[in-house]
């Protein structure tokens, strides 16, 4: 039974998943430049990672369903039943995350090859940081598809004060705990944590944001899956999602621990949560980041110069009027005064050249 019968005829799950993906792509595209990545990198990333994420989500679900004793045909795996396409009913989020990671690995070998100029290279960690900062945003939205499908629920809710959506959901004639809603809220908080770590004033080494995602999401998913009662995938008598959650937590801790150990061996400062104004080569692996070496089409705000062109009417000593374009440059910070002086010198030079030419023309006409 669907939790909301009046919307059961529409594929809200598919719509919400697509909306989550779109929001994630747009957000990543806009945020990438703050770390020195061109927007085209995000488009290339989606072309590679999105198909693999869908395949991974499907494979994960089917494999563990087969382990549970069910059988699948290749046609059913592809979403066909009775010769008609019925859709991919059965996608596991962890499978999608693993597929995305595989896509990031492929992207690394493509975009980090030695034949590319150094400032055009993109590493696995750089793409993982921006990607997983916004993957969790997509998860927030996509989880509401479980509400429309009447799935991802927990134990029966006996307290009448809690028997209302979305705190709980009405399925099979009973009010059940909305496991999907708990995860959506957990991810909502996590998104702003990751967003601050990626875009905030304090920066960390490449891979740090991805590591925090693994730890944070792993913790949340572990306790949420532990209280889930429907569509539970098992492995060796244990809940598969709980096992994978623990592995994600271990991976996140290992990434951070590895950075700390390598930094100490190199005799450099830890590049973790450092004010961006203090960043330098003293911090381990800083020089490898796009913060230190942004891609060629990226200009950070602090380095931008605003140039305005205007036409000014100039009258020479003989009364001849003509127009001259004067460049006025304004730079942020300490470069403002020097840039303004250069602009004035160029303007004077331009006026002198045009004025000399105008006087010659004027004299020629006078002689005629």
């Amino acid at each position: 039974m669907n939790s909301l019968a009046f919307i059961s005829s529409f594929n809200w799950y598919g719509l919400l998943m697509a909306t989550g993906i779109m929001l994630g792509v747009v957000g990543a595209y806009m945020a990438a430049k703050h770390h020195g990545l061109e927007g085209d990198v995000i488009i290339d990333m989606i072309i590679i990672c999105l198909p693999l994420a869908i395949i991974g989500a499907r494979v994960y679900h089917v494999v563990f369903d087969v382990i549970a004793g069910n059988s699948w045909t290749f046609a059913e795996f592809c979403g066909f039943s009775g010769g008609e396409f019925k859709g991919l009913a059965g996608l596991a989020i962890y499978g999608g995350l693993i597929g995305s990671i595989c896509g990031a690995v492929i992207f690394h070998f493509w975009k980090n090859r030695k034949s590319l100029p150094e400032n055009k290279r993109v590493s696995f960690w750089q793409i993982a940081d921006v990607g997983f900062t916004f993957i969790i945003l997509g998860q927030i939205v996509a989880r509401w598809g479980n509400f429309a499908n009447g799935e991802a629920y927990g134990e029966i809710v006996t307290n009448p004060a809690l028997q209302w959506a979305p705190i709980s959901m009405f399925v099979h004639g009973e009010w059940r705990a909305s496991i999907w809603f708990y995860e959506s809220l957990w991810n909502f908080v996590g998104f702003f944590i990751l967003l601050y770590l990626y875009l905030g004033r304090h920066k960390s080494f490449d891979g740090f944001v991805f590591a925090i995602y693994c730890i944070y999401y792993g913790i949340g998913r572990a306790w949420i899956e532990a209280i889930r009662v429907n569509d539970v995938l098992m492995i060796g008598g244990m809940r598969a999602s709980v096992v994978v959650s623990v592995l994600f937590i271990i991976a996140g801790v290992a990434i951070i621990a590895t950075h700390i150990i390598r930094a100490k061996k190199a005799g450099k400062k830890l590049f973790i949560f450092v004010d961006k104004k203090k960043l330098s080569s003293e911090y381990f692996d800083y020089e490898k980041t796009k913060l230190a070496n942004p891609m060629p089409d990226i200009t950070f705000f602090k380095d931008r110069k605003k140039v305005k062109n205007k036409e000014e009417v100039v009258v020479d000593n003989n009364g001849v009027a003509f127009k001259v374009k004067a460049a006025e440059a304004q730079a942020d910070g300490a470069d403002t005064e020097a840039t303004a002086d250069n602009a004035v010198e160029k303007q004077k030079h331009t006026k002198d050249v045009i004025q000399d030419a105008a006087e010659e023309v004027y004299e020629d006409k006078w002689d005629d």
Side-chain angles (χ1 to χ4, degrees):
M1 177 180 176
N2 195 288
S3 58
L4 290 180
F6 71 91
I7 64 172
S8 60
S9 60
F10 185 80
N11 187 4
W12 285 95
Y13 188 82
L15 175 63
L16 289 168
M17 282 194 65
T19 301
I21 292 171
M22 181 187 68
L23 290 175
V25 172
V26 173
Y29 186 91
M30 296 175 65
K33 63 181 180 180
H34 291 278
H35 265 247
L37 292 170
E38 297 170 357
D40 290 346
V41 170
I42 304 303
I43 303 302
D44 293 339
M45 176 192 72
I46 294 302
I47 292 174
I48 295 176
C49 293
L50 182 57
L52 290 176
I54 295 173
I55 293 172
R58 187 63 166 171
V59 170
Y60 186 101
H61 175 83
V62 171
V63 166
F64 284 106
D65 202 40
V66 170
I67 292 174
N70 298 315
S71 60
W72 287 74
T73 65
F74 182 72
E76 289 173 337
F77 173 84
C78 296
F80 290 91
S81 179
E84 296 182 2
F85 182 72
K86 301 294 184 179
L88 300 177
L91 296 172
I93 289 179
Y94 264 133
L97 298 179
I98 294 171
S100 298
I101 292 173
C102 292
V105 171
I106 295 173
F107 193 88
H108 168 85
F109 286 107
W110 175 40
K111 285 291 189 179
N112 205 43
R113 60 189 188 277
K114 293 183 179 180
S115 59
L116 286 175
E118 188 173 353
N119 62 354
K120 294 287 286 185
R121 298 178 191 174
V122 183
S123 72
F124 167 83
W125 300 115
Q126 290 163 0
I127 206 64
D129 280 347
V130 65
F132 280 84
T133 296
F134 291 93
I135 279 177
I136 199 170
L137 174 61
Q139 291 176 277
I140 295 170
V141 179
R143 267 305 182 188
W144 285 78
N146 296 132
F147 179 48
N149 283 359
E151 57 192 9
Y153 52 82
E155 298 292 342
I156 297 174
V157 177
T158 57
N159 186 348
L162 299 177
Q163 293 178 347
W164 54 278
I167 298 297
S168 58
M169 55 196 302
F170 193 72
V171 290
H172 305 299
E174 299 172 315
W175 285 98
R176 295 272 184 172
S178 297
I179 301 303
W180 64 269
F181 181 65
Y182 304 158
E183 183 178 331
S184 185
L185 281 180
W186 180 267
N187 291 343
F188 181 78
V189 175
F191 169 65
F192 286 99
I193 294 174
L194 296 177
L195 192 65
Y196 175 74
L197 292 176
Y198 191 76
L199 297 181
R201 177 179 176 179
H202 294 84
K203 306 297 182 182
S204 303
F205 66 92
D206 288 342
F208 179 77
V209 177
F210 172 65
I212 296 300
Y213 171 91
C214 290
I215 296 170
Y216 181 87
Y217 183 71
I219 292 172
R221 188 67 187 272
W223 72 264
I224 288 170
E225 283 295 325
I227 60 176
R228 183 172 178 168
V229 300
N230 77 305
D231 297 331
V232 178
L233 301 176
M234 306 295 291
I235 178 173
M238 298 180 291
R239 293 172 181 251
S241 291
V242 175
V243 173
V244 177
S245 295
V246 173
L247 293 177
F248 263 60
I249 295 170
I250 293 173
V253 173
I255 291 170
I256 297 174
T258 299
H259 174 82
I260 295 173
I261 294 171
R262 293 179 63 204
K264 288 184 176 181
K265 286 184 176 180
K268 291 193 172 185
K269 297 179 181 179
L270 297 180
F271 184 16
I272 298 177
F273 215 59
V274 181
D275 190 322
K276 61 183 179 181
K277 293 182 179 179
K278 298 180 181 179
L279 289 175
S280 68
S281 58
E282 294 180 353
Y283 293 94
F284 184 68
D285 273 352
Y286 167 67
E287 65 278 0
K288 295 181 180 180
T289 67
K290 290 302 177 188
L291 292 170
N293 300 293
M295 300 187 80
D297 291 343
I298 297 295
T299 303
F300 290 124
F301 182 78
K302 63 183 179 63
D303 298 324
R304 292 176 186 170
K305 294 181 179 180
K306 300 177 181 179
V307 179
K308 299 180 181 179
N309 291 325
K310 68 178 183 179
E311 289 187 336
E312 181 180 349
V313 176
V314 179
V315 180
D316 64 17
N317 295 330
N318 297 312
V320 177
F322 54 91
K323 290 183 179 180
V324 60
K325 289 186 177 180
E328 295 181 351
Q330 295 179 346
D332 295 332
D335 295 336
T336 303
E337 185 176 350
T339 306
D341 290 341
N342 291 336
V344 171
E345 290 299 327
K346 290 180 180 179
Q347 179 178 338
K348 289 180 178 179
H349 176 71
T350 304
K351 289 180 180 179
D352 292 340
V353 171
I354 297 178
Q355 182 173 342
D356 291 342
E359 289 177 353
E360 291 179 5
V361 173
Y362 179 83
E363 291 175 359
D364 288 341
K365 289 183 178 181
W366 183 264
D367 293 338
D368 291 340

